């Protein structure tokens, strides 16, 4: 994988300092709790917290430090404080169980977790680490700390401050963060992302959607999500734009108010979250939005239509994975195209690869590189490819070969370079000797059901996907499809006939007795379908 030369690399912390001083007295970040900070204010608080943590809490040899905070100003400052102290940050997933989080802590050898008492009372996790409460530091900051913080933020030149902190010694391949995977198919793995991984992805975002000084990014994705960490934390911290944060992406009414109050122009979300905003936000709330970029799951065209009709901005789809820092490709709306160029949007695809990122497709069985238009395994190469999985060189070697990362996603790349995701390797079943894609059956069923479902009333929850497809072992055919679903407007027999009318082969059509009703489909905190829990339900 590509690594920047030392002479070219400017650390993320150095960029953060420069941007804070550039926007010294201008608003830099805000959150839904009513807090606002200028560039100098962010830097001053980060410097003070850095000193306090180093003096009272963290050992000099402590490499990885945990953070357990929702996206708020406190979380931004804590992430910056640890990075200024040249520590590796691990933002933990507070939607997962104590056991899973303790597995993450053990993997990375994390001894301290920075959090807040108020937040811990809400999430009720029991962690095998020493908890450090931010509330306790308010009284510990002396007048000298505050004075030195003010001098660092307002008076000391950026270059001198960076050298005093040793930030000029940071290398491109130094570890910046450990991001634990969502665990949708098993226990989370610790993805090691370097300085180059994050900075190259931020640069690619900037090059792709042409961020401007007047842009305001709406930060609703948690920082334990790689998209949230790179795009709504570090993009804001290293580019001259503003960021506004809210602690949960599902709180549509508050997010709408926050967007309207601060004039947000860029929203990064998932299709699941957009469905909530359709029902919970007024058209005027999102009037300032210019770019709505979604990932993590497929964007249905009917959802894009409904969002555009209500808010006047059409969502575009991108693609990425945690192991790729995370962005790989994106559709670029007309408002962000370069002068004289047309919009680079092809609906039904996840766009073209970002600058300096390559993609290719290989045959699932032979590994042969395929021509455009042929589906196969998607591989990605570029400076965004992770360093590896923490402590799992064996798993790293399985997915990274000659700098190319094997995504596990089945895709095709058309003649103009647009990538279309057609399935996931783990979401195929071999039935009767043929590979049957779960995603194709699932999308067809959800499309049929969306046409049958009545429009929700204003006080009803927005409708999301009603079915998910998985598979269980079968003695005769090897595997059989199982449809896990919420309450349906038609019987399984009627839906099977509808699938046949859509032209699906018989092997793709589940039997009526393979439908299983549940109160709700299992979803991870990132908005993705929980494939592991789905399979357990089916079994």
């Amino acid at each position: 994988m590509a690594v920047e030369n030392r002479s070219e690399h400017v650390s993320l912390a150095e960029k953060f300092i420069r941007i804070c001083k550039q926007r010294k007295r201008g608003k830099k970040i805000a959150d839904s709790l009513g807090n606002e900070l200028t560039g100098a204010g962010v830097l001053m608080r980060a410097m003070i917290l850095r000193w306090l943590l180093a003096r009272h809490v963290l050992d000099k040899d402590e490499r990885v430090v945990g953070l357990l905070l929702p996206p708020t100003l406190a979380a931004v400052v804590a992430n910056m404080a640890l990075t200024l102290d040249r520590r590796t940050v691990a933002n933990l997933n507070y939607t997962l169980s104590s056991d899973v989080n303790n597995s993450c802590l053990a993997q990375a050898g994390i001894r301290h977790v920075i959090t807040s008492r108020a937040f811990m009372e809400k999430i009720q996790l029991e962690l095998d680490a020493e908890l450090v409460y931010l509330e306790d530091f308010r009284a510990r900051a002396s007048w000298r700390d505050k004075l030195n913080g003010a001098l660092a933020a307002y008076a000391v030149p950026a270059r001198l401050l960076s050298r005093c902190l040793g930030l000029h010694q940071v290398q491109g391949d130094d570890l910046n963060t450990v991001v634990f995977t969502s665990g949708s198919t098993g226990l989370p793995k610790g993805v090691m992302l370097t300085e180059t991984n994050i900075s190259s992805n931020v640069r690619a975002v900037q090059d792709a959607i042409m961020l401007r000084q007047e842009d305001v990014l709406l930060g609703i994705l948690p920082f334990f999500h790689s998209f949230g960490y790179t795009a709504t934390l570090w993009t804001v911290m290293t580019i001259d734009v503003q960021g506004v944060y809210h602690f949960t992406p599902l709180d549509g009414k508050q997010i709408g108010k926050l967007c309207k109050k601060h004039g947000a122009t860029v929203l990064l979300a998932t299709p699941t979250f957009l469905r909530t905003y359709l029902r919970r936000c007024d058209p005027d709330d999102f009037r300032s939005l210019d770019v709505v970029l979604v990932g993590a799951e497929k964007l249905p065209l009917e959802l894009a239509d409904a969002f555009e009709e209500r808010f006047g901005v059409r969502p575009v789809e991108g693609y990425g994975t945690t192991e790729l820092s995370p962005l790989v490709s994106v559709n670029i709306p007309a408002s962000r195209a370069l002068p004289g160029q047309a919009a680079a949007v092809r609906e039904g695809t996840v766009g073209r690869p970002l600058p300096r990122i390559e993609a290719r497709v290989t045959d699932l069985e032979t590994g042969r590189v395929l021509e455009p238009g042929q589906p196969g395994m998607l591989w990605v190469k570029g400076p965004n490819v992770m360093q590896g999985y923490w402590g799992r060189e064996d798993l790293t070697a399985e997915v990274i070969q000659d700098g190319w990362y094997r995504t596990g996603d089945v895709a095709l790349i058309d003649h103009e370079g647009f990538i279309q995701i057609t399935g996931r390797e783990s979401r195929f079943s071999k039935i009767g000797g043929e590979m049957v894609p779960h995603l194709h059956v699932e999308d067809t069923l959800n499309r049929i059901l969306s046409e049958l479902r009545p429009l929700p009333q204003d006080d009803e929850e927005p409708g999301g996907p009603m079915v998910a497809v998985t598979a269980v072992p079968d003695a005769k055919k090897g595997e059989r499809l199982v449809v896990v679903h919420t309450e349906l407007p038609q019987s399984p027999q009627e839906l099977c006939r509808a699938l046949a009318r859509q032209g699906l082969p018989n092997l793709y059509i589940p039997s009526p007795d393979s439908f299983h009703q549940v109160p709700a489909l299992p979803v991870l905190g990132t908005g993705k379908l929980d494939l592991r829990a789905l399979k357990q339900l089916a079994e």
Side-chain angles (χ1 to χ4, degrees):
M1 68 199 84
V3 176
E4 295 176 16
N5 294 327
R6 174 64 210 131
S7 59
E8 298 174 351
H9 183 72
V10 178
S11 73
L12 289 163
E14 287 176 286
K15 293 175 184 176
F16 162 66
I17 291 172
R18 291 179 188 178
I19 287 298
C20 283
K21 288 184 173 292
Q22 187 174 328
R23 210 176 183 111
K24 187 181 295 183
R25 302 187 187 278
K27 186 170 70 175
K28 183 62 177 168
I29 57 174
D31 65 20
S32 55
L33 300 175
N35 304 306
E36 293 187 8
L37 288 175
T38 63
V42 182
L43 179 55
M44 181 174 72
R45 282 161 178 77
M47 287 295 300
I48 292 171
L49 182 57
R50 173 195 176 275
W51 289 321
L52 293 174
L53 289 171
R55 194 161 67 222
H56 298 292
V57 177
L58 304 177
D59 297 325
K60 287 185 178 181
D61 66 342
E62 202 162 344
R63 184 180 179 191
V64 186
V65 181
L67 276 174
L68 196 68
L69 293 164
T72 56
L73 263 62
V76 173
V77 169
N79 272 277
M80 295 303 104
L82 292 172
T83 306
L84 288 173
D85 203 33
R86 298 176 64 184
R87 312 274 183 171
T88 297
V89 182
N91 285 274
L92 301 172
N93 187 339
Y94 39 80
T95 69
L96 299 179
S97 67
S98 298
D99 289 343
V100 174
N101 270 297
N102 284 328
S103 168
C104 297
L105 294 174
Q107 285 181 54
I110 296 171
R111 305 200 292 265
H112 290 96
V113 174
I114 299 170
T115 184
S116 78
R117 281 195 171 83
F119 188 58
M120 287 302 294
E121 287 173 3
K122 290 181 180 179
I123 58 175
Q124 298 290 307
L125 289 178
E126 297 291 334
L127 299 181
D128 298 335
E130 183 178 340
L131 300 183
V132 180
Y133 298 111
L134 288 176
E135 294 93 334
D136 296 345
F137 287 100
R138 290 172 185 158
R140 287 186 173 183
S142 67
W143 67 267
R144 286 189 180 87
D145 292 325
K146 295 174 184 177
L147 176 61
N148 288 334
L151 289 172
Y154 288 96
V156 180
R159 184 177 178 84
L160 177 58
L161 180 59
S162 295
R163 293 193 71 84
C164 289
L165 297 173
L167 302 177
H168 62 293
Q169 298 174 354
V170 175
Q171 303 289 319
D173 57 0
D174 285 351
L175 195 58
N176 173 269
T177 187
V178 179
V179 180
F180 290 95
T181 59
S182 61
S184 61
T185 57
L187 284 176
K189 299 183 288 289
V191 174
M192 298 187 293
L193 299 180
T194 66
E195 283 273 322
T196 292
N197 291 153
I198 302 296
S199 61
S200 69
N201 219 232
V202 169
R203 181 181 170 191
V205 171
Q206 166 72 337
D207 289 347
I209 61 174
M210 304 293 290
L211 290 171
R212 307 156 183 159
Q213 189 178 34
E214 61 270 21
D215 275 325
V216 180
L217 272 70
L218 193 54
I220 58 168
L221 297 174
F223 296 155
F224 62 71
H225 191 300
S226 58
F227 198 16
Y229 184 78
T230 295
T232 62
L233 177 63
W234 277 111
T235 297
V236 172
M237 291 297 101
T238 57
I239 293 177
D240 190 16
V241 295
Q242 293 181 46
V244 293
Y245 299 93
H246 185 61
F247 47 82
T248 170
L250 290 171
D251 189 357
K253 287 188 176 179
Q254 289 301 319
I255 288 168
K257 291 178 182 177
L258 193 67
C259 182
K260 184 177 180 179
K261 177 182 177 181
H262 295 279
T265 58
V266 180
L267 170 63
L268 309 174
T270 70
T272 293
F273 301 150
L274 293 193
R275 290 189 181 93
T276 297
Y277 310 151
L278 271 174
R279 304 309 307 167
R280 293 287 178 253
C281 299
D282 295 327
D284 196 47
D285 290 341
F286 284 169
R287 190 175 302 280
S288 60
L289 286 180
D290 183 54
V291 177
V292 177
L293 173 61
V294 299
E297 53 181 306
K298 186 177 178 63
L299 173 65
L301 289 181
E302 59 270 20
L303 176 59
D305 291 341
F307 197 91
E308 183 181 26
E309 182 179 352
R310 184 164 178 80
F311 300 115
V313 57
R314 190 168 186 84
V316 295
E317 192 172 359
Y319 167 77
T321 71
T322 302
E323 290 86 346
L324 296 172
S325 308
L327 276 176
V328 172
S329 62
V330 66
N331 283 286
I332 301 172
S335 63
R336 298 293 165 141
L338 289 171
Q341 290 187 352
V345 174
R346 179 158 296 172
E347 293 194 334
T349 77
V350 293
R352 292 190 182 105
L354 291 164
R356 296 170 292 282
I357 295 174
E358 301 175 65
R360 71 182 186 190
V361 171
T362 61
D363 186 274
L364 292 175
E365 294 188 1
T366 67
R368 178 176 60 88
V369 178
L370 297 174
E371 296 296 318
Q374 296 180 282
M377 177 56 56
L378 178 65
W379 295 76
V380 173
K381 186 177 186 179
N384 59 325
V385 175
M386 67 171 178
Q387 193 175 74
Y389 293 118
W390 183 280
R392 294 304 305 268
E393 290 79 6
D394 54 334
L395 295 180
T396 302
E398 287 179 12
V399 297
I400 299 179
Q401 298 174 17
D402 298 323
W404 288 90
Y405 171 71
R406 185 179 190 272
T407 65
D409 286 313
V410 180
L412 61 84
I413 302 174
D414 68 19
H415 287 82
E416 294 184 42
F418 286 91
I419 301 170
Q420 181 182 349
I421 306 297
T422 58
R424 178 131 187 106
E425 187 180 29
S426 61
R427 301 203 68 194
F428 279 78
S429 292
K430 198 157 192 176
I431 301 175
E434 186 174 339
M435 297 300 287
V436 177
H438 300 177
L439 194 59
H440 183 45
V441 181
E442 186 178 291
D443 287 346
T444 306
L445 275 170
N446 276 311
R447 189 169 62 250
I448 293 167
L449 289 165
S450 69
E451 295 172 357
L452 297 170
R453 179 167 48 194
L455 290 173
Q457 301 300 311
D458 286 343
D459 59 345
E460 291 180 333
E461 286 298 321
M466 300 173 72
V467 303
V469 176
T470 185
V472 295
D474 182 83
K476 292 182 179 179
K477 295 184 178 179
E479 285 187 285
R480 71 164 169 151
L481 298 180
V482 174
V483 180
V484 179
H485 61 87
T486 55
E487 187 174 355
L488 299 174
Q490 282 192 341
S491 69
Q493 290 85 353
E494 290 172 311
L495 288 173
C496 290
R497 287 195 289 269
L499 286 174
R501 289 195 296 271
Q502 292 286 326
L504 266 66
N506 287 334
L507 283 177
Y508 286 35
I509 302 176
S511 60
D513 64 353
S514 295
F515 283 67
H516 175 62
Q517 184 169 332
V518 294
L521 297 180
V523 177
L524 296 164
T526 56
K528 288 184 180 179
L529 191 65
D530 189 336
L531 300 178
R532 189 182 183 201
L534 180 69
K535 196 166 187 68
Q536 289 171 346
L537 284 171
E539 289 171 345

